Each structure stands twice: as structure tokens, then as C-alpha cells.
Amino acid sequence: MKVGIIGLGLIGGSLGLDLRNCGHIIYGVSRKESTCNRALKKEVVDYADINLKSLSTVDIIFICTPIGLISQTLKQLIPHLSKEVIITDVGSVKTCIVKECESLWTNFVGGHPMAGTAEQGIEAAQKNLFKNAPYVITPTEKTPENSMKILEELAQSLGSLVYTCSPEIHDQSVAWISHLPVMISASLIAACSEEKDKSILKLAQQLASSGFRDTSRVGGGNPELGVMMAQYNKTALLHTLQGYSQQLDEITEYIKTEQWDSLQKLLMITQQERSPFIGIEKNS
Amino acid sequence: MKVGIIGLGLIGGSLGLDLRNCGHIIYGVSRKESTCNRALKKEVVDYADINLKSLSTVDIIFICTPIGLISQTLKQLIPHLSKEVIITDVGSVKTCIVKECESLWTNFVGGHPMAGTAEQGIEAAQKNLFKNAPYVITPTEKTPENSMKILEELAQSLGSLVYTCSPEIHDQSVAWISHLPVMISASLIAACSEEKDKSILKLAQQLASSGFRDTSRVGGGNPELGVMMAQYNKTALLHTLQGYSQQLDEITEYIKTEQWDSLQKLLMITQQERSPFIGIEKNS
């Protein structure tokens, strides 16, 4: 197939590497000439261009821009398309993206390959980034079934674990396991740093070890990414924050009123309930 | 020196190994005959006994029992002591322990070696467990200075990073970096598991990766340990839970009212503020 990729960063670049390796012809588009040259040199793409019209003959296009640019990229792209190619995206939030994009282009299929590294940009692009990682495809009633199938097959050819669900189910799930953790982890760092007794704060910093390091990790991550999650997945994230806050109140109440049996019972449940999220029952 | 160790688990056993290696004579006490035999075989101790009176001639005694047994162990120990030996403990909460123990025994110095592994018991005992790990010593006005110095030197001989502060400063610091993370992490698991839409819960479990794994790790740990923290460090923990809850409300309000600039600013601060807790500024 002729595959177009718009946005040659970590995700777009890594997709190019693997799909090219599968025998597809890759047409890359980046806003920067220098990125196009790097992509050609790294053999991420067969062709690279700064113009969207270079994609006029491809069969499927992956929009791999930052989430805030997906629908406007699609708008700019449409005039250059001569036929009903499949368009998909890799945005980490789906409901609003899919709604906007499928109203602009009938043959749109939302997707979310859930892979990444701490690094970004074309230099971070790597082979097998998506292997054994989830690739969620989020069709709606309007999504052409055949297009969904083609995306599914491409995702499988990357070695991904393909899941199919509605955009809403996707967004609520990632709110729980990805976006909520960022907010509760950031709140931990912020609350600690607000400790007014400087000798306590300093000792806390000196004594902090793996427990603090792990619990605070995602809260110390990329601020733009955190804001983006909240902006694009506001409703689902607020739903999780509400449930979380109630849970926190409950645990606080157990401690305040010394209901140690209830606290013990809760901690026994959380010890068990964590397994299906991280345990051997998972494929990844 | 002749060193007594009561409780030959991970901490007591590992202390024995290292202090013995430094040339001290180690007298171990365990409630179980079988543990005494294992300790002798593993060369954790020079002598092992199930009776506290076997410690009547030592110079310093480390009480390495679970935190709930420290002061009652001291009470049982006192009749067997013929002279004013130094007694110390390794409990992870200090204010209540130090208060009780120093009222029972003048020559008491509270301590907290902050090392551990997921394993417990004599079989988990290992050399160099305390190397480069914090060892907090928590004197009060009543603590004999010379005894504190002796404990400090022993801790240094283990390769530990020795910190000295009041029991209260210790407890508030560990509440922030160790006990609070357990409660917020457990609340994450509990809140996720309460999701009523089973298709969302199932997908969340399938999609969860490193972000969820890290943020939920300490909340999925030993329930007894979590309850113990809350019981013995109630006041300090409640103080952190209050500050944390306010911070969480603030972040929720930013999202609810779409104050994206404020959220961005907060996440930029948390990204920076995390460094002194985990960064290169630390020795460990």
C-alpha cells in the first residue's frame, strides 16, 4: 500500500520504519524541511515533503500531529485528496477528535497506538515501538467497516495488541489508567512542596526513595501533555477525579476515626485489585 | 562491641551480617528456635537464643521487632539488663515509640534505617542492605549524647547516610514521602476498581501500562504495613492527607473551570519540584 504519514515525530517516524519494513511505500510530510531530510536519511520514509499535496495518491494517511492540530490538519489535507482514502489519527483522546474528523471526512477511522518513550521527535523514532503494545481502534456507527479492517490489519502487522471499542469507552478507560494518575501524582508533588516547615521539607527530599519516586513519576512529566489530556478528555477525567476524591475521603475517614479493620480490608482489596491491571493475566 | 539484636528478620538479620563483618560480636534473639538456627547457619549472629536474658552482657541492643511490639519487648527486656546498655530500635515511626521507650529506659536512642526489599524474614537478610540508604537517628532532649554518638558511628560503619532530627520531624517527613503515597496510591486502585461500566473497567485493565503500574505500586503493597503506618503515624499522616486533598481540589477546579494556564503553571512547577526528591542533588 501507499501510506501517508503526517508528522514525523516519535510516533509518525516509528510507524514509518515498521510499515516500510512490511513492504509499504511511505510518503512522509513534515512542516520542516530538515525533518524531511532526516526522515529520508533514517529510512523512515520513501518520500518526504513539506506539502500535503504530496499525499494525493496514497491509500491511507496517518495523521500523527499533536492532538490539537489533528482536525485542522485534516481540513488542510482534504482539498489535496482526489479519492476516498482512509484517514486515521494517533491521538491519545478520541471522542472529540473522531466526532470532528468523521464530520469532515467519511472514510475516517480513529486510532490510538499506546506506545511511547521519554524521548520525542524523529531522532527518537525506532523499530518495533508498537510491538506488544495496545493499539486501540475506535469506530463509530459511521465508520466504514472495510476501512476499519484495513487499519486493524496494519496495526496487527506492527505486532500491536489490537482493541476495538467506541471513542467514549476508550476515553473513559484511559482517563482511569493514564490521565487520572497524572493529576493525583502531580498533586502529591505539589502538596509535599507546600510543606511550610522547611526542615521537614528538606528531610523529606533527602529521605524520599522508590515509593515516592514511583508515585510521583507521571506527575513530574511533560506539562503540555498533562494539560492536553485535561483539555481533550475533560468530562471523562472529571468523572475519575470525582470517584477518586470520594475514595480518598473514605480512606481519610478510616484513619481519622481509627477504623483499622476497614482500612486493612480496603488495603487487602487494593492489593488484589491491582493484579489485573499489571499482572500476568495481561498479554503486554 | 557486644551487640544484641532482637528480631532476626530482614532488618535484624541484615544488621547482624554487617555489624558482625565490622568485628562486633552479635547476640541474636528470636522467638523461634528455628530462626535462631537459621541465623547461626547463615552466620548472621555469633550466638542465638530464644531468651532475652541472653542479652544481659551486651553493650547495645537493636530492637528489630514489628513496630507494635517494640515497647512491650523493651518492658520484657529490662529485668534481664544488669547495666545501662544502649537500647535502640528500627521502627519506621518514631514519636510514639521514642516517647514510650525513653520513659522505660533512660539510655534509649530512636533510630530508623530506611532500607528494605520486597522479601521479609531471616532468609531475605543480606549484606550491605543499609549501604547508601538513609539511617535516621531521632534524639530528644533526654537522649544521652554519648549513646547517640555510638549509634551514629555504628550506622556510619554500615555505609548508611546518617540524618539526625527530632522524632516529630522524622514522622512528618516520612508521612509525606512514604505513608501519604501509600494512601493516594491505594485510593487510585480502589477508585478504578469501582468503575461500574464493566467494559470500561476491562479495557482499563488491558490498557494499563507503566504510568498506572508506577502510580499504583505502593498502594498494592502489604496491607498490614499500610495499617501500621496509619496507626502509628496518624497525626502526621492526616496532616499530609489534608494538604493533599486541598491540592487535588485545586487541580480539579482548574479542569472544571478550564483554567488551562493555571494547570500548565502547576504542572510546570511539579515537574521542577520533583527533582530535589529524586534528583542528582541527592546522595542516594
Side-chain angles (χ1 to χ4, degrees), chain A residues 114 134 136 163 165 169 172-173 176-177 180-181 183-184 186-193 195 199-201 203-208 210-224 226-227 230-231 234 237-239 241 244 247-248 251-252 255-256 258 260 263-264 267-268 270-271 273-274 276-278 282, chain B residues 114 134 136 163 165 169 172-173 176-177 180-181 183-184 186-193 195 199-201 203-208 210-224 226-227 230-231 234 237-239 241 244 247-248 251-252 255-256 258 260 263-264 267-268 270-271 273-274 276-278 282:
Chain A
M114 296 182 71
V136 192
Y163 298 98
C165 66
I169 296 271
Q172 194 58 66
S173 297
W176 279 118
I177 55 99
L180 175 64
M183 301 308 155
I184 69 180
S187 297
L188 171 63
I189 305 169
C192 286
S193 307
E195 168 60 56
S199 58
I200 291 171
L201 178 60
L203 187 65
Q205 289 170 342
Q206 289 167 324
L207 300 185
S210 59
F212 185 88
R213 186 162 56 239
D214 285 359
T215 317
S216 68
R217 186 175 66 80
V218 295
N222 185 323
E224 286 75 25
V227 174
Q231 277 183 307
K234 183 185 161 185
L237 179 56
L238 283 173
H239 169 71
L241 276 163
Y244 179 74
Q247 192 57 62
L248 192 73
I251 226 170
T252 305
I255 298 170
K256 209 176 269 175
E258 305 194 350
W260 307 130
L263 182 61
Q264 167 105 9
L267 294 177
M268 284 170 72
T270 59
Q271 190 180 39
E273 296 282 4
R274 185 170 177 254
F277 288 92
I278 56 126
K282 285 185 65 175
Chain B
M114 296 180 72
V136 192
Y163 299 98
C165 66
I169 297 270
Q172 193 58 67
S173 297
W176 280 118
I177 54 101
L180 175 64
M183 301 308 154
I184 68 181
S187 297
L188 170 64
I189 304 168
C192 286
S193 307
E195 168 61 55
S199 58
I200 292 171
L201 178 61
L203 187 66
Q205 289 170 342
Q206 287 167 324
L207 300 185
S210 60
F212 186 87
R213 185 163 55 239
D214 285 359
T215 317
S216 69
R217 185 174 67 79
V218 295
N222 185 320
E224 286 75 26
V227 173
Q231 278 183 307
K234 182 185 163 188
L237 179 56
L238 283 173
H239 169 74
L241 276 164
Y244 179 74
Q247 192 58 62
L248 192 74
I251 227 169
T252 305
I255 298 170
K256 210 176 268 176
E258 305 195 350
W260 306 128
L263 182 61
Q264 166 105 6
L267 294 177
M268 284 171 71
T270 59
Q271 190 180 39
E273 296 282 3
R274 185 170 177 254
F277 288 92
I278 56 123
K282 286 185 61 173

Side-chain angles (χ1 to χ4, degrees), chain A residues 74-172:
Chain A
L74 177 55
K75 270 181 212 160
Q76 290 161 0
L77 178 65
I78 288 173
H80 304 292
L81 302 176
S82 52
K83 52 167 182 170
E84 275 288 305
V85 303
I86 303 166
I87 295 181
T88 185
D89 75 317
V90 297
S92 58
V93 178
K94 299 266 59 91
T95 308
C96 57
I97 301 294
V98 171
K99 199 176 167 187
E100 275 179 46
C101 290
E102 71 180 7
S103 75
L104 292 166
W105 191 254
T106 325
N107 204 0
F108 180 85
V109 191
H112 180 202
M114 296 182 71
T117 67
E119 308 298 310
Q120 294 187 315
I122 182 76
E123 299 305 335
Q126 58 183 261
K127 283 182 186 165
N128 293 320
L129 181 67
F130 308 101
K131 202 169 178 173
N132 295 324
Y135 198 121
V136 192
I137 297 173
T138 57
T140 68
E141 292 172 344
K142 296 180 189 168
T143 309
E145 203 162 323
N146 196 44
S147 303
M148 200 190 86
K149 242 181 175 163
I150 290 170
L151 179 59
E152 207 173 311
E153 279 164 18
L154 283 176
Q156 266 155 358
S157 74
L158 301 168
S160 296
L161 307 166
V162 180
Y163 298 98
T164 304
C165 66
S166 72
E168 292 76 18
I169 296 271
H170 168 275
D171 286 358
Q172 194 58 66

Side-chain angles (χ1 to χ4, degrees), chain B residues 138-182:
Chain B
T138 58
T140 69
E141 291 172 345
K142 296 181 189 167
T143 309
E145 204 162 323
N146 196 45
S147 303
M148 200 189 88
K149 243 180 175 165
I150 290 169
L151 179 59
E152 207 173 312
E153 279 163 19
L154 283 177
Q156 267 155 358
S157 73
L158 302 169
S160 296
L161 307 165
V162 181
Y163 299 98
T164 304
C165 66
S166 70
E168 292 77 16
I169 297 270
H170 168 275
D171 285 358
Q172 193 58 67
S173 297
V174 297
W176 280 118
I177 54 101
S178 173
H179 305 170
L180 175 64
V182 169

